[in-house]
Amino acid sequence: MSATQKAWGKRCLCSDSKSSDLRNSTEIENAIKLVDPYRDALYSYDPEEQKAIQNEQPWRKDPHHFKNVRISAVALLKMVMHARSGGSLEVMGLMQGKISGDTFIVTDAFRLPVEGTETRVNASDEANEYVIQYLQSCRENGRADNAVGWYHSHPGYGCWLSGIDVATQMAQQFQDPFLAVVIDPDRTISAGKVEIGAFRTYPKDYKPPNGQEDDDYQTIPLAKIEDFGAHASQYYSLEISHYKSTLDAHLLELLWNKYWVSTLSQSPLFTNREYSSKQMLDLSQKIRNAEKSVQSSSRGGHMGGRGSKDSHMEKVVRDSNKIAGEEITGLMAGEIKAKLFEGVGAAARSETAA
């Protein structure tokens, strides 16, 4: 075997190893697990079982009936790619799947031809007609999965439901059970794992018990805080997990083998510069507001202002730590890549020459 062939063989082995490591890292970050490799049971659809669930409608008796969502790896990938393609504009699509006990099982997703802005997506009659035709085409090709929910993107401002989203979800729940999923593509790039939330709205006249709040802190831009707080009591979040079938695993392997080089060469510090700049500007405004709040309460001299001051400062510190953590992660990733691959090209050329 010639020196050129040896060098090429080593590079191929190295490529396969790095592709596998990248794929495994992504699956670990997003907790994607392989289901039964022989039967892929989560993909089996029993029309009679689903009909019985529809007839029983346990969610009518208990507004908190649904507690979990399981999303297939390919459906997750399709939703994230769609959200990322929208840039700063919101995009929208539907999810297909089934119900199992208190769990939504999402097997697939497809995008909708809708008009989006930076704050909302508007579904038209054309989109509704598209949904009907798409689902009909699926059934003609042997896929009986129903539409179990809708997804849309929140570019850069977190996973929660706005007033418009709450109204949209309530309107869709006439065909219950129905789920709302939100993906933040900008935070996904910065954090290195998918930023996603799943939600169900309460019935119109239902009042949730006091003290039921989401434990996960979110950094909300100042421009969105009022909308975030005004509707937080009208919905609740579901626990999300991910899975993959044997076909998902094969498709993901093909994708990783094709795109691992571009994935490895990218840096969130460069691809997400606009989002990082917006975060810093928003943080500076929050710091100014917190400073004004502290000064105002100090001049007033009343005891009730202490808790408000601490709350403002705590949120500023949390937001600062989150931004700093993302920047440090991006810098460390760049340094690791530089250490790993510095001189690799020169070494390969010297081996070929030898």
Side-chain angles (χ1 to χ4, degrees):
M1 184 181 290
S2 66
T4 303
Q5 288 174 319
K6 289 180 180 179
W8 175 251
K10 289 181 180 179
R11 275 190 290 242
C12 287
L13 288 172
C14 185
S15 297
D16 290 342
S17 175
K18 291 184 178 67
S19 173
S20 178
D21 290 344
L22 276 170
R23 186 173 68 251
N24 291 337
S25 175
T26 301
E27 291 176 358
I28 291 170
E29 283 288 342
N30 293 288
I32 298 173
K33 298 179 180 178
L34 182 66
V35 298
D36 187 337
Y38 300 103
R39 294 178 298 165
D40 289 339
L42 291 180
Y43 278 85
S44 63
Y45 187 88
D46 185 347
E48 294 302 321
E49 178 190 25
Q50 297 302 304
K51 187 177 179 180
I53 293 173
Q54 283 285 353
N55 291 335
E56 187 179 353
Q57 296 187 340
W59 54 88
R60 298 290 186 191
K61 304 171 187 175
D62 179 12
H64 278 274
H65 172 72
F66 290 107
K67 298 175 178 64
N68 304 288
V69 185
R70 299 195 68 183
I71 303 175
S72 76
V74 167
L76 180 69
L77 183 62
K78 289 167 76 172
M79 290 190 286
V80 172
M81 290 177 67
H82 184 202
R84 187 64 182 166
S85 70
S88 61
L89 301 181
E90 290 192 11
V91 299
M92 178 180 175
L94 285 187
M95 299 175 293
Q96 293 175 271
K98 64 179 183 178
I99 305 301
S100 178
D102 63 356
T103 303
F104 284 90
I105 297 176
V106 178
T107 55
D108 201 3
F110 61 95
R111 60 180 67 193
L112 291 179
V114 297
E115 295 179 359
T117 68
E118 292 189 357
T119 57
R120 67 174 70 183
V121 281
N122 303 310
S124 61
D125 292 337
E126 179 187 356
N128 294 330
E129 185 178 345
Y130 177 84
V131 171
I132 294 171
Q133 292 178 350
Y134 185 92
L135 294 176
Q136 181 62 34
S137 176
C138 288
R139 290 187 177 92
E140 290 173 356
N141 286 276
R143 289 187 54 197
D145 305 41
N146 288 321
V148 294
W150 65 294
Y151 72 88
H152 70 292
S153 61
H154 276 185
Y157 48 96
C159 299
W160 47 278
L161 296 185
S162 67
I164 296 172
D165 300 337
V166 168
T168 301
Q169 175 64 11
M170 284 184 169
Q172 293 295 333
Q173 282 188 198
F174 76 91
Q175 55 177 334
D176 246 357
F178 217 71
L179 173 73
V181 164
V182 182
I183 293 174
D184 188 333
D186 292 341
R187 295 188 181 186
T188 293
I189 296 297
S190 292
K193 67 175 183 177
V194 180
E195 188 81 8
I196 186 172
F199 309 96
R200 287 269 298 170
T201 51
Y202 294 119
K204 191 172 183 180
D205 299 325
Y206 177 78
K207 291 184 179 180
N210 294 329
Q212 286 194 354
E213 296 181 358
D214 197 342
D215 294 333
D216 294 332
Y217 176 79
Q218 287 198 68
T219 301
I220 308 297
L222 279 173
K224 301 289 183 180
I225 283 180
E226 185 176 351
D227 193 24
F228 171 75
H231 307 281
S233 63
Q234 295 179 269
Y235 62 89
Y236 71 97
S237 60
L238 286 75
E239 188 73 26
I240 299 176
S241 60
H242 308 293
Y243 69 93
K244 62 179 181 179
S245 68
T246 48
L247 179 59
D248 287 343
H250 179 63
L251 291 173
L252 291 172
E253 184 175 5
L254 292 175
L255 287 170
W256 277 117
N257 287 341
K258 184 174 182 180
Y259 294 111
W260 74 270
V261 174
S262 60
T263 302
L264 189 62
S265 62
Q266 289 178 355
S267 167
L269 298 180
F270 293 102
T271 57
N272 234 19
R273 280 180 296 185
E274 184 179 355
Y275 168 66
S276 300
S277 299
K278 287 180 179 178
Q279 275 195 311
M280 294 300 295
L281 288 171
D282 187 70
L283 179 61
S284 66
Q285 184 60 50
K286 287 179 179 177
I287 292 173
R288 284 193 290 269
N289 289 351
E291 184 180 7
K292 289 178 183 177
S293 175
V294 171
Q295 292 173 349
S296 175
S297 59
S298 297
R299 285 195 298 268
H302 49 78
M303 296 298 292
R306 180 59 185 267
S308 176
K309 283 195 297 183
D310 291 344
S311 175
H312 280 298
M313 294 306 299
E314 182 184 358
K315 289 179 180 178
V316 168
V317 170
R318 281 188 170 191
D319 291 353
S320 302
N321 289 338
K322 179 179 178 297
I323 294 172
E326 290 175 354
E327 294 296 310
I328 290 172
T329 299
L331 289 169
M332 288 178 63
E335 286 296 313
I336 291 170
K337 291 174 189 177
K339 295 293 184 183
L340 285 173
F341 298 103
E342 188 176 1
V344 170
R349 285 193 295 272
S350 63
E351 286 185 9
T352 302

